[in-house]
Coordinates of all heavy atoms in Angstrom, one line a residue:
M1 N -6.9 9.8 3.2 CA -5.8 9.9 4.2 C -5.7 8.4 4.8 O -6.7 7.7 4.9 CB -6.2 10.7 5.3 CG -5.0 11.0 6.3 SD -5.4 12.2 7.6 CE -4.8 13.7 6.8
S2 N -4.5 8.0 5.0 CA -4.2 6.6 5.3 C -4.5 6.4 6.8 O -4.5 7.3 7.6 CB -2.7 6.1 5.1 OG -1.9 6.6 6.0
Y3 N -4.8 5.0 7.1 CA -5.1 4.6 8.5 C -4.1 5.1 9.4 O -4.3 5.6 10.6 CB -5.2 3.1 8.4 CG -5.5 2.6 9.8 CD1 -6.7 2.6 10.5 CD2 -4.4 1.9 10.5 CE1 -6.8 2.1 11.6 CE2 -4.6 1.4 11.7 CZ -5.9 1.4 12.3 OH -6.0 0.9 13.7
D4 N -2.7 4.9 9.0 CA -1.7 5.3 9.9 C -1.5 6.7 10.3 O -1.2 7.2 11.4 CB -0.3 4.7 9.4 CG -0.3 3.3 9.4 OD1 -0.8 2.6 10.4 OD2 0.3 2.7 8.4
K5 N -1.8 7.6 9.2 CA -1.8 9.0 9.4 C -2.8 9.5 10.3 O -2.6 10.3 11.1 CB -2.0 9.6 8.1 CG -0.6 9.8 7.2 CD -0.9 10.5 6.0 CE 0.3 10.5 5.0 NZ 0.0 11.1 3.7
V6 N -4.0 9.0 10.2 CA -5.1 9.4 11.1 C -4.8 9.0 12.5 O -5.0 9.7 13.5 CB -6.4 8.7 10.6 CG1 -7.6 9.0 11.7 CG2 -6.8 9.3 9.3
L7 N -4.3 7.7 12.7 CA -4.0 7.1 14.0 C -3.0 8.0 14.7 O -3.0 8.3 15.9 CB -3.5 5.7 13.9 CG -3.6 4.8 15.1 CD1 -5.1 4.7 15.5 CD2 -3.1 3.5 14.9
D8 N -2.0 8.6 13.9 CA -1.0 9.4 14.5 C -1.5 10.7 14.9 O -1.2 11.2 16.0 CB 0.1 9.7 13.4 CG 1.3 10.2 14.0 OD1 1.8 9.9 15.1 OD2 1.8 11.3 13.5
Q9 N -2.6 11.2 14.2 CA -3.2 12.5 14.5 C -4.0 12.4 15.9 O -4.1 13.4 16.6 CB -4.1 13.0 13.4 CG -3.4 13.6 12.3 CD -4.4 14.3 11.3 OE1 -5.6 13.8 11.3 NE2 -4.0 15.3 10.6
I10 N -4.6 11.3 16.1 CA -5.5 11.2 17.2 C -5.0 10.4 18.3 O -5.7 9.9 19.3 CB -6.9 10.6 16.7 CG1 -6.8 9.2 16.2 CG2 -7.6 11.5 15.9 CD1 -8.1 8.5 15.9
K11 N -3.6 10.0 18.4 CA -3.1 9.2 19.2 C -3.2 9.7 20.8 O -3.2 8.9 21.6 CB -1.5 8.9 19.0 CG -0.7 10.2 19.1 CD 0.7 9.8 18.6 CE 1.5 11.0 18.5 NZ 2.7 10.8 17.6
H12 N -3.3 11.0 20.9 CA -3.4 11.5 22.4 C -4.9 11.7 22.7 O -5.2 12.2 23.8 CB -2.7 12.8 22.5 CG -3.2 13.9 21.5 ND1 -2.8 13.9 20.2 CD2 -4.0 14.9 21.7 CE1 -3.3 14.9 19.6 NE2 -4.1 15.5 20.4
K13 N -5.9 11.5 21.8 CA -7.3 11.6 22.1 C -7.8 10.2 22.4 O -8.1 9.3 21.4 CB -8.1 12.2 21.0 CG -7.7 13.5 20.8 CD -8.3 14.1 19.6 CE -7.9 15.6 19.4 NZ -8.5 16.1 18.1
K14 N -7.9 9.7 23.8 CA -8.1 8.3 24.1 C -9.4 7.7 23.5 O -9.4 6.8 22.9 CB -8.1 8.2 25.6 CG -8.1 6.8 26.1 CD -7.8 6.8 27.5 CE -7.9 5.3 28.1 NZ -9.4 5.1 28.4
G15 N -10.5 8.5 23.8 CA -11.9 8.0 23.3 C -11.9 7.9 21.8 O -12.4 6.8 21.3
K16 N -11.6 8.9 21.2 CA -11.6 9.0 19.7 C -10.7 7.8 19.1 O -11.1 7.2 18.2 CB -11.0 10.2 19.3 CG -11.7 10.8 18.0 CD -11.4 12.2 17.9 CE -12.7 12.9 17.1 NZ -12.6 14.2 16.8
K17 N -9.5 7.7 19.6 CA -8.6 6.6 19.3 C -9.2 5.2 19.4 O -9.2 4.4 18.4 CB -7.4 6.6 20.0 CG -6.3 5.7 19.5 CD -4.9 5.9 20.2 CE -3.9 4.9 19.8 NZ -3.6 3.9 20.9
E18 N -9.9 5.0 20.5 CA -10.5 3.7 20.8 C -11.6 3.4 19.7 O -11.7 2.4 19.1 CB -11.1 3.5 22.1 CG -10.1 3.2 23.2 CD -10.6 3.2 24.6 OE1 -11.8 3.4 24.8 OE2 -9.8 3.2 25.5
R19 N -12.4 4.4 19.5 CA -13.5 4.3 18.5 C -13.0 4.1 17.1 O -13.4 3.3 16.3 CB -14.4 5.6 18.6 CG -15.7 5.5 18.0 CD -16.8 6.3 18.7 NE -16.3 7.5 19.4 CZ -16.2 8.7 18.8 NH1 -16.7 8.9 17.5 NH2 -15.8 9.8 19.4
F20 N -12.0 4.9 16.8 CA -11.4 4.8 15.5 C -10.7 3.4 15.3 O -11.0 2.8 14.2 CB -10.2 5.8 15.3 CG -9.6 5.8 14.0 CD1 -10.2 6.3 12.9 CD2 -8.3 5.3 13.8 CE1 -9.6 6.2 11.6 CE2 -7.7 5.2 12.5 CZ -8.3 5.8 11.4
E21 N -10.2 2.8 16.2 CA -9.5 1.5 16.1 C -10.6 0.5 16.0 O -10.5 -0.5 15.2 CB -8.5 1.1 17.2 CG -7.3 1.9 17.1 CD -6.4 1.7 18.3 OE1 -6.8 1.6 19.4 OE2 -5.1 1.5 18.0
K22 N -11.6 0.7 16.7 CA -12.8 -0.4 16.6 C -13.2 -0.5 15.3 O -13.6 -1.6 14.8 CB -13.8 -0.1 17.8 CG -14.9 -1.1 17.7 CD -16.0 -0.7 18.8 CE -17.1 -1.6 18.6 NZ -18.3 -1.2 19.5
H23 N -13.6 0.6 14.6 CA -14.3 0.6 13.4 C -13.5 0.7 12.1 O -13.9 0.5 11.0 CB -15.3 1.9 13.4 CG -16.3 1.7 14.5 ND1 -17.4 0.8 14.4 CD2 -16.6 2.4 15.6 CE1 -18.1 0.9 15.5 NE2 -17.7 1.9 16.2
N24 N -12.2 1.1 12.2 CA -11.4 1.3 11.0 C -10.1 0.5 11.0 O -9.3 0.8 9.9 CB -11.0 2.9 10.9 CG -12.2 3.7 10.9 OD1 -12.9 3.7 9.8 ND2 -12.6 4.5 11.8
T25 N -9.8 -0.4 11.9 CA -8.7 -1.2 11.7 C -8.8 -2.1 10.5 O -9.8 -2.7 10.3 CB -8.6 -2.1 12.9 OG1 -8.4 -1.2 14.1 CG2 -7.2 -2.9 12.8
P26 N -7.8 -2.0 9.6 CA -7.8 -2.9 8.4 C -8.0 -4.4 8.7 O -7.4 -4.9 9.6 CB -6.6 -2.6 7.7 CG -6.0 -1.4 8.3 CD -6.5 -1.3 9.6
K27 N -8.9 -5.1 7.9 CA -9.2 -6.4 8.1 C -7.8 -7.2 7.8 O -7.1 -7.1 6.8 CB -10.1 -6.8 7.1 CG -10.9 -8.1 7.3 CD -12.0 -8.2 6.4 CE -12.6 -9.5 6.4 NZ -13.7 -9.6 5.3
E28 N -7.5 -8.2 8.8 CA -6.4 -9.1 8.5 C -6.9 -10.1 7.4 O -7.9 -10.8 7.5 CB -6.0 -9.9 9.7 CG -4.9 -9.3 10.5 CD -3.7 -9.0 9.8 OE1 -3.2 -9.8 8.9 OE2 -3.1 -8.0 9.9
R29 N -6.1 -10.3 6.3 CA -6.5 -11.1 5.2 C -5.4 -12.2 4.9 O -4.2 -12.0 5.3 CB -6.5 -10.3 3.9 CG -7.8 -9.3 3.9 CD -7.7 -8.5 2.7 NE -8.5 -7.3 2.8 CZ -9.7 -7.3 2.4 NH1 -10.5 -8.4 1.9 NH2 -10.6 -6.2 2.5
D30 N -6.0 -13.3 4.6 CA -5.1 -14.5 4.2 C -4.6 -14.3 2.7 O -3.6 -14.9 2.3 CB -5.7 -15.8 4.3 CG -6.1 -16.0 5.8 OD1 -5.3 -15.6 6.8 OD2 -7.1 -16.6 6.1
Y31 N -5.4 -13.6 1.9 CA -5.2 -13.4 0.5 C -5.8 -12.1 0.1 O -6.6 -11.6 0.9 CB -5.5 -14.7 -0.4 CG -7.0 -15.0 -0.2 CD1 -7.9 -14.3 -0.9 CD2 -7.4 -15.9 0.7 CE1 -9.3 -14.6 -0.9 CE2 -8.7 -16.2 0.9 CZ -9.7 -15.5 0.1 OH -11.0 -15.9 0.3
G32 N -5.5 -11.6 -1.1 CA -6.2 -10.5 -1.6 C -5.3 -9.3 -1.7 O -4.2 -9.4 -1.4
K33 N -6.0 -8.1 -1.7 CA -5.2 -6.9 -2.1 C -4.2 -6.5 -1.1 O -3.1 -6.1 -1.4 CB -6.1 -5.8 -2.5 CG -7.2 -5.4 -1.4 CD -8.1 -4.3 -2.1 CE -9.2 -4.0 -1.1 NZ -10.1 -3.0 -1.6
S34 N -4.6 -6.6 0.3 CA -3.7 -6.2 1.2 C -2.5 -7.1 1.4 O -1.6 -6.7 2.2 CB -4.4 -5.9 2.6 OG -4.7 -7.1 3.1
K35 N -2.5 -8.2 0.8 CA -1.3 -9.1 1.0 C -0.4 -8.8 -0.2 O 0.9 -9.2 -0.1 CB -1.8 -10.5 0.8 CG -2.3 -11.1 2.1 CD -1.3 -11.3 3.1 CE -1.9 -11.6 4.5 NZ -0.8 -11.9 5.5
K36 N -0.8 -8.2 -1.2 CA 0.2 -7.7 -2.3 C 0.9 -6.4 -1.9 O 0.2 -5.5 -1.5 CB -0.6 -7.4 -3.6 CG -1.1 -8.6 -4.2 CD -1.9 -8.1 -5.5 CE -2.2 -9.2 -6.3 NZ -2.8 -8.6 -7.7
E37 N 2.2 -6.5 -1.8 CA 3.1 -5.4 -1.4 C 4.1 -5.0 -2.3 O 4.7 -6.0 -2.7 CB 3.5 -5.8 0.0 CG 4.0 -4.6 0.9 CD 4.4 -4.9 2.3 OE1 3.5 -5.4 3.0 OE2 5.6 -4.9 2.6
C38 N 4.4 -3.8 -2.6 CA 5.4 -3.4 -3.3 C 6.8 -3.7 -2.7 O 6.9 -3.3 -1.4 CB 5.4 -1.9 -3.6 SG 6.8 -1.3 -4.5
R39 N 7.7 -4.4 -3.4 CA 8.9 -4.7 -2.7 C 9.9 -3.5 -2.5 O 10.9 -3.6 -1.8 CB 9.7 -5.8 -3.6 CG 10.1 -5.2 -4.9 CD 11.2 -6.2 -5.6 NE 10.5 -7.2 -6.3 CZ 11.2 -8.0 -7.1 NH1 12.5 -8.0 -7.1 NH2 10.6 -8.9 -7.8
R40 N 9.6 -2.4 -3.2 CA 10.5 -1.2 -3.0 C 9.9 -0.3 -2.1 O 10.7 0.2 -1.2 CB 10.6 -0.6 -4.5 CG 11.6 0.6 -4.6 CD 12.0 0.8 -6.0 NE 12.9 1.9 -6.2 CZ 12.4 3.0 -6.7 NH1 11.1 3.1 -7.1 NH2 13.2 4.1 -6.8
C41 N 8.6 0.1 -2.0 CA 8.1 1.1 -1.1 C 7.2 0.6 -0.2 O 6.8 1.3 0.8 CB 7.7 2.3 -1.9 SG 6.1 1.9 -2.7
G42 N 6.7 -0.6 -0.4 CA 5.8 -1.2 0.6 C 4.3 -0.8 0.4 O 3.5 -1.1 1.3
R43 N 4.0 -0.2 -0.7 CA 2.7 0.2 -1.0 C 1.8 -1.1 -1.3 O 2.3 -2.2 -1.7 CB 2.6 1.1 -2.2 CG 1.4 2.0 -2.5 CD 1.5 2.7 -3.8 NE 2.6 3.6 -3.8 CZ 2.6 4.8 -3.8 NH1 1.5 5.4 -3.8 NH2 3.7 5.5 -4.0
V44 N 0.5 -1.1 -0.7 CA -0.3 -2.2 -0.8 C -1.6 -1.9 -1.7 O -1.9 -0.7 -1.9 CB -0.8 -2.8 0.4 CG1 0.4 -3.3 1.3 CG2 -1.5 -1.7 1.3
G45 N -2.2 -3.0 -2.1 CA -3.5 -2.7 -2.8 C -3.4 -2.7 -4.3 O -2.6 -3.3 -4.9
R46 N -4.3 -1.9 -4.8 CA -4.4 -1.8 -6.3 C -3.1 -1.2 -6.9 O -2.4 -0.4 -6.1 CB -5.5 -0.8 -6.8 CG -6.9 -1.3 -6.7 CD -7.9 -0.2 -7.1 NE -7.6 0.0 -8.5 CZ -7.6 1.3 -8.9 NH1 -7.8 2.3 -8.1 NH2 -7.5 1.4 -10.3
G47 N -2.7 -1.5 -8.1 CA -1.6 -1.0 -8.7 C -0.2 -1.7 -8.3 O 0.8 -1.2 -8.9
V48 N -0.2 -2.8 -7.6 CA 1.0 -3.6 -7.5 C 1.0 -4.6 -8.6 O 0.1 -5.5 -8.7 CB 1.0 -4.3 -6.1 CG1 2.2 -5.2 -5.9 CG2 0.9 -3.1 -5.0
I49 N 2.1 -4.6 -9.4 CA 2.1 -5.5 -10.5 C 2.8 -6.9 -10.0 O 4.1 -6.7 -9.6 CB 3.0 -4.8 -11.6 CG1 2.3 -3.5 -12.0 CG2 3.1 -5.8 -12.8 CD1 3.2 -2.6 -12.8
S50 N 2.1 -7.8 -10.0 CA 2.7 -9.1 -9.7 C 3.0 -10.1 -10.8 O 3.6 -11.1 -10.7 CB 1.9 -9.9 -8.6 OG 0.5 -9.8 -8.9
E51 N 2.7 -9.5 -12.1 CA 2.9 -10.3 -13.2 C 4.4 -10.4 -13.4 O 5.2 -9.5 -13.1 CB 2.3 -9.5 -14.4 CG 2.2 -10.2 -15.7 CD 1.3 -9.6 -16.8 OE1 1.1 -8.4 -16.6 OE2 1.0 -10.3 -17.7
Y52 N 5.0 -11.5 -13.8 CA 6.4 -11.9 -14.0 C 7.0 -11.8 -12.8 O 8.3 -11.7 -12.7 CB 7.0 -10.9 -15.0 CG 6.4 -10.8 -16.4 CD1 6.0 -9.5 -16.9 CD2 6.0 -11.8 -17.2 CE1 5.4 -9.2 -18.0 CE2 5.4 -11.6 -18.3 CZ 5.1 -10.4 -18.8 OH 4.4 -10.1 -19.9
N53 N 6.4 -11.9 -11.7 CA 7.0 -11.9 -10.3 C 7.7 -10.5 -10.1 O 8.8 -10.5 -9.3 CB 8.0 -13.0 -10.0 CG 7.4 -13.9 -8.9 OD1 6.6 -13.6 -8.2 ND2 8.0 -15.2 -8.9
L54 N 7.1 -9.4 -10.6 CA 7.8 -8.1 -10.4 C 7.6 -7.7 -9.0 O 8.5 -7.2 -8.3 CB 7.1 -7.1 -11.3 CG 7.7 -7.2 -12.9 CD1 6.7 -6.3 -13.7 CD2 9.0 -6.9 -12.9
N55 N 6.3 -7.7 -8.5 CA 5.9 -7.2 -7.2 C 6.4 -5.7 -7.0 O 6.8 -5.3 -5.9 CB 6.5 -8.0 -6.1 CG 5.7 -9.4 -6.1 OD1 4.7 -9.6 -6.4 ND2 6.6 -10.5 -6.0
Y56 N 6.2 -4.9 -8.0 CA 6.5 -3.5 -7.9 C 5.1 -2.7 -8.0 O 4.4 -3.3 -8.8 CB 7.4 -2.8 -8.9 CG 8.8 -3.2 -8.7 CD1 9.6 -4.1 -9.6 CD2 9.6 -2.6 -7.8 CE1 10.9 -4.4 -9.4 CE2 10.9 -2.9 -7.6 CZ 11.6 -3.7 -8.4 OH 13.0 -4.1 -8.2
C57 N 5.0 -1.6 -7.3 CA 3.7 -0.9 -7.5 C 3.9 0.0 -8.8 O 5.1 0.0 -9.3 CB 3.5 0.1 -6.4 SG 4.6 1.5 -6.1
R58 N 2.9 0.4 -9.4 CA 3.0 1.1 -10.7 C 4.0 2.3 -10.6 O 4.6 2.6 -11.7 CB 1.6 1.5 -11.2 CG 0.8 2.4 -10.3 CD -0.7 2.5 -10.8 NE -1.3 3.4 -9.9 CZ -1.2 4.8 -10.0 NH1 -0.7 5.4 -11.1 NH2 -2.1 5.6 -9.2
Q59 N 4.0 3.1 -9.5 CA 4.8 4.2 -9.4 C 6.2 3.7 -9.4 O 7.1 4.3 -10.1 CB 4.5 4.9 -8.1 CG 3.2 5.7 -8.2 CD 2.0 4.9 -7.6 OE1 2.2 3.6 -7.6 NE2 0.8 5.4 -7.5
C60 N 6.7 2.7 -8.7 CA 8.0 2.3 -8.7 C 8.5 1.6 -9.9 O 9.5 1.8 -10.4 CB 8.3 1.3 -7.4 SG 8.1 1.9 -5.9
F61 N 7.4 1.0 -10.6 CA 7.8 0.3 -11.8 C 8.2 1.3 -12.9 O 9.2 1.1 -13.6 CB 6.6 -0.5 -12.3 CG 6.8 -1.2 -13.6 CD1 7.5 -2.3 -13.7 CD2 6.2 -0.7 -14.7 CE1 7.9 -2.9 -14.9 CE2 6.4 -1.4 -16.0 CZ 7.1 -2.5 -16.0
R62 N 7.5 2.5 -12.8 CA 7.8 3.5 -13.9 C 9.3 4.0 -13.7 O 9.9 4.3 -14.6 CB 7.0 4.8 -13.8 CG 5.6 4.7 -14.4 CD 4.9 6.0 -14.2 NE 5.5 7.1 -14.9 CZ 5.1 7.5 -16.1 NH1 4.2 6.9 -16.7 NH2 5.9 8.6 -16.6
E63 N 9.8 3.9 -12.4 CA 11.0 4.5 -12.1 C 12.1 3.4 -12.5 O 13.3 3.7 -12.8 CB 11.2 4.9 -10.7 CG 10.3 6.1 -10.4 CD 10.2 6.5 -9.0 OE1 10.9 5.8 -8.2 OE2 9.2 7.2 -8.7
V64 N 11.9 2.1 -12.2 CA 12.9 1.1 -12.2 C 12.8 0.2 -13.5 O 13.7 -0.6 -13.9 CB 12.9 0.1 -11.1 CG1 13.2 0.9 -9.8 CG2 11.6 -0.6 -11.0
A65 N 11.7 0.5 -14.4 CA 11.5 -0.4 -15.6 C 12.7 -0.5 -16.5 O 13.0 -1.6 -17.0 CB 10.2 0.0 -16.3
E66 N 13.2 0.6 -16.8 CA 14.4 0.6 -17.7 C 15.5 -0.2 -17.2 O 16.2 -0.8 -17.9 CB 14.7 2.0 -18.1 CG 13.8 2.6 -19.2 CD 14.4 3.9 -19.9 OE1 15.6 4.2 -19.7 OE2 13.6 4.5 -20.5
D67 N 15.8 -0.1 -15.9 CA 17.0 -0.7 -15.3 C 16.6 -2.2 -15.4 O 17.6 -3.0 -15.5 CB 17.1 -0.4 -13.8 CG 17.4 1.1 -13.7 OD1 18.0 1.7 -14.7 OD2 17.1 1.6 -12.7
L68 N 15.3 -2.6 -15.4 CA 15.0 -4.1 -15.4 C 15.0 -4.6 -16.9 O 15.0 -5.8 -17.1 CB 13.6 -4.3 -14.8 CG 13.4 -3.9 -13.4 CD1 12.0 -4.1 -13.0 CD2 14.2 -4.9 -12.5
G69 N 15.2 -3.7 -17.8 CA 15.3 -4.1 -19.3 C 14.0 -4.0 -20.0 O 14.0 -4.4 -21.1
F70 N 13.1 -3.3 -19.4 CA 11.7 -3.0 -20.1 C 12.0 -1.9 -21.2 O 12.8 -0.9 -20.7 CB 10.6 -2.7 -19.2 CG 10.1 -3.9 -18.5 CD1 10.6 -4.4 -17.4 CD2 9.0 -4.7 -19.1 CE1 10.1 -5.4 -16.7 CE2 8.6 -5.7 -18.4 CZ 9.1 -6.1 -17.3
K71 N 11.5 -1.9 -22.3 CA 11.6 -0.8 -23.2 C 10.3 -0.3 -23.5 O 9.4 -1.0 -23.8 CB 12.3 -1.3 -24.6 CG 13.8 -1.6 -24.4 CD 14.4 -2.0 -25.6 CE 15.8 -2.5 -25.4 NZ 16.3 -3.4 -26.6
Q72 N 10.2 1.1 -23.7 CA 8.9 1.7 -23.9 C 8.7 1.6 -25.4 O 9.6 2.0 -26.2 CB 8.9 3.1 -23.5 CG 7.5 3.7 -23.3 CD 7.5 4.9 -22.5 OE1 8.5 5.6 -22.3 NE2 6.5 5.1 -21.8
L73 N 7.5 1.1 -25.9 CA 7.2 1.1 -27.4 C 6.9 2.6 -27.9 O 6.2 3.3 -27.2 CB 6.1 0.2 -27.6 CG 6.2 -1.2 -27.1 CD1 4.9 -2.0 -27.4 CD2 7.3 -1.8 -28.1
K74 N 7.5 2.8 -29.1 CA 7.1 4.1 -29.6 C 6.2 4.0 -30.7 O 6.1 3.0 -31.4 CB 8.5 4.7 -30.0 CG 9.5 4.9 -28.9 CD 9.8 6.3 -28.6 CE 10.4 6.6 -27.4 NZ 11.8 6.8 -27.5
Ligands
LIG101 ZN1 6.4 1.0 -4.8

């Protein structure tokens, strides 16, 4: 479950929310996986293809690859 989903679930539980934020807030990075973001859906981390300056995640790439001119090898 993602950080935002959990935060939404416990937003009205004050103590629990404070503890969760103290220990689970994602680290601010200058570079690395959380800086890579899909330009279509905003997904971060693994699976974001930055080769050829695509910056699509693997899920979005599957959907738009043919429009971009990629052909599947048979
Ligand atoms: Zn995406």
Side-chain angles (χ1 to χ4, degrees):
M1 191 178 265
S2 78
Y3 175 79
D4 294 322
K5 279 183 185 170
V6 175
L7 203 60
D8 192 49
Q9 278 189 337
I10 60 172
K11 64 187 172 196
H12 58 282
K13 295 175 180 171
K14 192 169 172 275
K16 209 164 214 184
K17 185 174 173 249
E18 281 172 9
R19 199 152 24 98
F20 180 74
E21 283 178 324
K22 182 182 175 188
H23 293 291
N24 296 293
T25 302
K27 194 174 173 181
E28 263 311 311
R29 292 176 196 268
D30 295 326
Y31 54 87
K33 56 182 177 183
S34 68
K35 282 287 171 184
K36 287 181 167 187
E37 194 173 299
C38 173
R39 66 165 92 173
R40 190 155 169 255
C41 68
R43 202 183 300 247
V44 292
R46 284 182 65 226
V48 176
I49 303 163
S50 41
E51 200 168 8
Y52 312 124
N53 244 341
L54 283 171
N55 296 321
Y56 284 111
C57 70
R58 60 189 179 85
Q59 288 86 352
C60 291
F61 180 72
R62 270 182 74 94
E63 292 167 15
V64 300
E66 280 196 12
D67 302 333
L68 297 173
F70 285 89
K71 286 177 189 165
Q72 200 159 27
L73 295 174
K74 296 243 165 104

